Amino acid sequence: MKKPVLVIMAAGMGSRYGGLKQIDPVDKEGHIIMDFSIYDAVKAGFRKVVFIIKKENEADFRSAIGDRLSNQLEVSYVFQDLQNIPEGYEVPEGRVKPWGTGHAVLSCINEIDGPFVVINADDYYGKEAYVKVHDYLVQDHPQDGPMHICMAGFRLGNTLSDNGSVTRGVCHIEDGKLVGVTETHNIFKTADGAETRNDDGTAETLDTKSLVSMNMWGLTPEFMEILEKGFVEFLGGIKEGDIKKEYLLPELIDQLIHSGKAAV
């Protein structure tokens, strides 16, 4: 089996942050979060990294991290471009942002010929997650119908911020299998745990021990084919005025779970 590939989604616009937070140093030595991610991934057995970026940020990424890594492992760049859509479709008037995480991963279809893990550029996952996902991807899996993929789950309490709210995919699990993910917004850390605050001012307490998704998925080459077909269906379902609708990785995987096409 081919060595799993590390795919890093780093094409976010950074509008809330006001810049490219993915390449901002996080320690006095000048390391960025991706340094730690790639170090942990290489230790776990990954030998190639694919950066999904915007074309205009290529020089910044090469100088911040890519050039340093190129003599240690294989490095590739792919570009998430709003205009990169199937023939016969057009970008809705007024849309400026790319099409979401599903479209981002689809951007690296020509770089993937084996199993791969997808992560966010600006999240820290820890070495154990890379080991577990890598080991899962190189295992033999039963040929019993559904596609066998995986997700690293993290305890909600370990992913909260002291500086405002976070959005997390709260996982529903049965017998070690993911059966659904509920995207949950406005999750705040509280004195005795966590809560989500609704627009009407009400709050709901959350279990800090529950598992959440941080967009770390272990996937297979056949997933790319499904992703490609799904994007066509997504574009076909866009209605007039849907200029912000996104093609999201967790939503597609949730659909595959419920249709019996994937075991996660």
Side-chain angles (χ1 to χ4, degrees):
M1 176 182 280
K2 291 181 179 294
K3 285 279 187 182
V5 172
L6 174 65
V7 173
I8 302 181
M9 296 187 292
M13 295 187 70
S15 54
R16 287 179 300 173
Y17 179 74
L20 277 177
K21 64 178 175 178
Q22 299 99 329
I23 55 175
D24 270 1
V26 294
D27 64 12
K28 62 181 183 294
E29 284 81 26
H31 295 115
I32 63 180
I33 287 179
M34 283 183 283
D35 279 310
F36 299 99
S37 297
I38 294 166
Y39 179 85
D40 289 339
V42 169
K43 284 282 190 181
F46 293 87
R47 293 293 178 266
K48 176 180 177 179
V49 60
V50 179
F51 293 106
I52 305 172
I53 60 176
K54 290 195 293 187
K55 177 65 177 173
E56 58 264 37
N57 296 333
E58 182 181 4
D60 291 334
F61 266 84
R62 286 184 181 275
S63 62
I65 189 167
D67 290 347
R68 283 191 287 112
L69 293 174
S70 57
N71 62 348
Q72 301 171 50
L73 75 165
E74 187 178 347
V75 178
S76 295
Y77 300 87
V78 298
F79 308 115
Q80 185 179 13
D81 184 347
L82 176 63
Q83 303 293 335
N84 184 14
I85 56 178
E87 193 174 339
Y89 293 92
E90 293 183 354
V91 176
E93 187 178 349
R95 185 175 185 112
V96 294
K97 291 185 72 173
W99 297 98
T101 52
H103 180 246
V105 175
L106 190 56
S107 302
C108 63
I109 191 167
N110 293 327
E111 293 289 339
I112 299 298
D113 59 359
F116 62 104
V117 62
V118 175
I119 65 167
N120 295 327
D122 51 5
D123 280 322
Y124 176 74
Y125 296 94
K127 61 184 180 182
E128 184 183 4
Y130 292 96
V131 172
K132 285 182 178 281
V133 173
H134 175 276
D135 290 353
Y136 180 88
L137 290 174
V138 298
Q139 288 174 10
D140 289 328
H141 297 286
Q143 303 296 313
D144 55 357
M147 172 176 52
H148 290 268
I149 58 179
C150 70
M151 187 207 79
F154 298 84
R155 300 291 176 192
L156 172 60
N158 295 335
T159 73
L160 299 173
S161 172
D162 292 323
N163 304 295
S165 68
V166 297
T167 295
R168 296 286 180 256
V170 178
C171 301
H172 309 290
I173 298 165
E174 293 177 7
D175 300 324
K177 297 282 179 66
L178 188 70
V179 295
V181 179
T182 302
E183 194 77 354
T184 307
H185 304 274
N186 296 322
I187 303 175
F188 288 86
K189 192 174 187 178
T190 62
D192 53 359
E195 65 180 22
T196 178
R197 298 173 190 170
N198 303 315
D199 293 340
D200 60 6
T202 59
E204 179 184 343
T205 301
L206 298 175
D207 181 1
T208 54
K209 293 181 180 178
S210 61
L211 290 176
V212 297
S213 168
M214 297 283 288
N215 250 356
M216 186 180 199
W217 301 96
L219 304 168
T220 63
E222 64 180 311
F223 181 82
M224 296 300 277
E225 298 173 21
I226 294 171
L227 195 61
E228 191 172 30
K229 292 175 183 173
F231 188 47
V232 173
E233 292 173 9
F234 166 83
L235 292 172
I238 288 182
K239 297 179 175 59
E240 191 174 346
D242 283 347
I243 63 168
K244 292 186 176 181
K245 195 174 180 183
E246 292 186 315
Y247 184 49
L248 299 175
L249 208 54
E251 289 184 1
L252 174 64
I253 292 172
D254 195 55
Q255 292 169 15
L256 294 175
I257 291 170
H258 287 102
S259 66
K261 294 178 180 177
V264 186

